[in-house]
Amino acid sequence: MSTIADRLIEDEGLRRGVSRLTPEKIEKVFKELIAGECGARLKTYVESCVRCGMCAKACHYYMSHKDPSYTPVAKVSQTMWRLLAAGGRVEPQVIYECAQVAYTECNLCRRCIHYCPLGIDTGYIISVVRRLCHKLGVTPQYIQDTAHSHSAVLNQMWVKDDEWPDTLQWQEEEAREEFPGLRIPLDVEGADFMYSVIAPEPKFRTQLIYQAAAIFNAAGLNWTMPATPGWDNSNMAMFTGDSEIMSRVERAHYETAQRLRVKRIVMGECGHAFRAVYDVANRWLGWKWHPVPVVHSVEFFWELIQQGRIKITHKYADPVTIHDPCNIIRGRGLMDKLREVTHFLCENVVEMSPNREHNYCCCAGGGVINCGPPFKNVRIVGNSIKAEQLRATGVHTLVAPCHNCHGGLEDIISKFGLGMHTKFLGDLIYELMEKPEAE
Amino acid sequence: MHALYDLAVGPLAWLAFGVFIIGSVYRLLAMRALALRKDGAFVAYVSWPHAFKSLAHWFTPFGALGWRENPGVTIATFIFHICLFLVPLFLMGHIVLFDTFRGWSWPALPDGAADVLAIVVVVICAYFLWRRLSVPEVRFVTSAQDVLVVSLVGLTFLTGVLAYHRIGDNLVLTTLHILSGEAMLVAIPFTRLSHMLFGVFSRGYIASEFGSVRHAKDW
Amino acid sequence: MKRRTTPLALVAFVAALLLALPALSQQDMTTVPDEAFKTRTRPPALFKHDEHNEKAKLDDCTACHHGEKDGKRDPGADTSGIPCSDCHAVEAKPGRTPLMRAFHKQCLGCHMTQKKGPVTCGDCHKPVK
């Protein structure tokens, strides 16, 4: 049977990382990690897993390849069990293999939790493997670059401190052509909410900031965006296993909101960012819940619709289908609100199957897409099951309120010739809404 | 053989029960202590109402996605585990031993029913072994321990069935049956069989995370 | 003539049979008597009385046919001939030994202490050959 060793992909970051390792060094770091950061969860999971293989069908990689080495349990057996069995004393090449499995063959989507009777959290185990790889300095080059960026400028895309307000003002200027009274309020203390986005938005998807501003403007909201670092809610360090940088980024994010004394943080349509802010970094920082309430766009749009603040001129006529992003569905239970918003905006919604909490992953999340070109083909081919699922709906518009999902789904759509295009809820709202001031 | 039988029903039986009970309690308490010491940021989210709700789904055949997607394993797993508890606890032969030597007695299953259920366990053990060796995704992750524990359970029930039907030397088979049963009890706290102890807690924990933090079902 | 002698002979035969019954029943006994049980879950335990006692070198009847004093087993009294179920009811009152337990204790208990004789379920409860 084939294993990870039979499909290794050259990555400069991984190669350079393992070249610096020795079995002794690996053993030392591994033992420190297990003793220092792991506890009952890892021990219980590793010990009580009965190797029944029921989780196989949970994973889009397995469902696409039908190769037993891609099942959730196989990914754990090729990484954590192997390391534990050797007490961490393994050849550097093994770490290369562990890293490729952990960073590029698992999206941490947690679908397998719906398959394991014992409730084993494979995503957690794989995160521990990533943590080890990070500590050993064996991380894929592309995602490590984003983590470095987080470390240096507190955002993912090397956006300089002055480029950020510059970009916002540029978008404000553009939008004022359409909506003369529109503002993108910077650093307004005491605003109702701080809107935060991921760094790719100012970098190359400025249209999304424009749209958000237009929607908030039409709804007459009291909002703000920070003018300082701390504006980026994305967090690739969370996925490289760099918990220290992860928590620095989130701390800056929370503290920026606190500095602005906003009532809450509204996050753009991104899934992993929400996971970091809502579910992960707060724990590392010692917060059981968040120091500032955190709301995802899906829920926020839902509220605005409930309050009658979003008015649309007409409904989107073409049939659409909904992709449920793992981090806000399995991670936040927004499936009903996502549907209510979509049904509010669209005439005809065709559900894909399975959906809601049971939806297949886009295969881009969990940092996998961020590992860059070397692994691109694997993640696209590794999600033919998603392509089949999309094709079966027979529709041409796909609503996906998550950046990573967009990236992954667009790749699948073009590879498998599905003839679909993806939309954010913001895209739809902007397209359909009444634009009172518009000229 | 007579001496070995005496040993098996006497001191070894108490030893096995002792190791099983004390071992299980120890493992549970030690794991709890470890969780409190090292997983505090996760134990904090434990929510029993969510745990029970999820467990109710997982204890129902086809009540969770994983069960529905693996119908064969699901049917086998449920029947297997029900018989695994029902047969040993309510078998006439076992109750008679307690009745004779301890004066404890409780209602027994009819012998014929217990016989059928025990044979079912043996057949399902064979099915599990077959899966281990032939289904690729199971074989890929199978280790010696996995084969061993299923075999141990299968052997216990097989020798029990043979002894009941008086196939082979009754003393030899009964002794073997008792010894393998005792080995199984001793193995529970220290092998994969510990999923009997930890399973509800690992499920309950993740159910709490899903229920109270993520507001999504985990079944 | 014929008509008169036949009933007479029959009566004499029955009387002789009744007198000889205890001895006869022990000689012919192949299983532990299980008539008292309403439902039988297993075949009656094989037990050839005389053969067993010969083999076990048992002369003292009270080894099994014991009496009872103050709720305790009294080895001083010989209760041969009294059916076990007369004292050991199938559904015994609290503090008394029910019939099944009495049988199991009697046979299995002794076989365990003597380290001789059958001890497994299937070595006693099997069809008479």
Side-chain angles (χ1 to χ4, degrees), chain A residues 274 278 296 298-299 324-339 356-357, chain B residues 209-211 213-217:
Chain A
F274 188 78
Y278 180 79
H296 188 266
V298 169
E299 186 169 5
D324 291 278
C326 60
N327 286 319
I328 61 164
I329 305 300
R330 276 188 285 276
R332 182 57 184 85
L334 294 181
M335 51 277 168
D336 290 316
K337 285 175 177 156
L338 172 57
R339 275 162 185 73
R356 299 169 69 90
E357 287 105 325
Chain B
E209 288 274 13
F210 269 67
V213 180
R214 298 169 192 156
H215 307 286
K217 62 181 185 182

Side-chain angles (χ1 to χ4, degrees), chain B residues 33-191:
Chain B
L34 182 63
L36 292 174
R37 197 169 75 246
K38 301 295 290 295
D39 301 76
F42 303 89
V43 174
Y45 299 91
V46 167
S47 153
W48 289 106
H50 290 109
F52 285 125
K53 193 173 175 194
S54 168
L55 285 169
H57 279 272
W58 283 97
F59 275 110
T60 308
F62 304 105
L65 183 63
W67 293 139
R68 288 194 291 278
E69 297 272 301
N70 296 282
V73 186
T74 301
I75 293 169
T77 301
F78 273 88
I79 296 176
F80 176 78
H81 283 93
I82 291 168
C83 295
L84 199 59
F85 281 90
L86 215 57
V87 177
L89 288 178
F90 298 100
L91 189 85
M92 191 62 180
H94 294 175
I95 298 172
V96 158
L97 285 174
F98 283 96
D99 180 75
T100 305
F101 296 111
R102 298 271 117 199
W104 304 336
S105 184
W106 59 93
L109 282 170
D111 271 356
D115 183 35
V116 171
L117 297 184
I119 292 170
V120 165
V121 171
V122 176
V123 170
I124 296 177
C125 280
Y127 165 71
F128 284 157
L129 275 175
W130 169 81
R131 278 189 89 235
R132 288 239 160 273
L133 305 175
S134 346
V135 176
E137 67 264 28
V138 186
R139 194 172 144 196
F140 190 86
V141 293
T142 292
S143 64
Q145 198 201 123
D146 301 300
V147 175
L148 207 69
V149 291
V150 180
S151 306
L152 190 57
V153 177
L155 184 70
T156 305
F157 279 77
L158 179 66
T159 48
V161 168
L162 291 176
Y164 174 72
H165 289 277
R166 297 193 325 281
I167 298 166
D169 184 289
N170 208 254
L171 182 60
V172 170
L173 277 160
T174 307
T175 308
L176 201 57
H177 167 70
I178 298 168
L179 289 175
S180 48
E182 287 163 354
M184 186 170 82
L185 276 181
V186 169
I188 289 173
F190 307 108
T191 62

Side-chain angles (χ1 to χ4, degrees), chain A residues 265-276:
Chain A
I265 300 170
V266 172
M267 302 185 54
E269 291 181 67
C270 181
H272 98 271
F274 188 78
R275 181 183 187 137

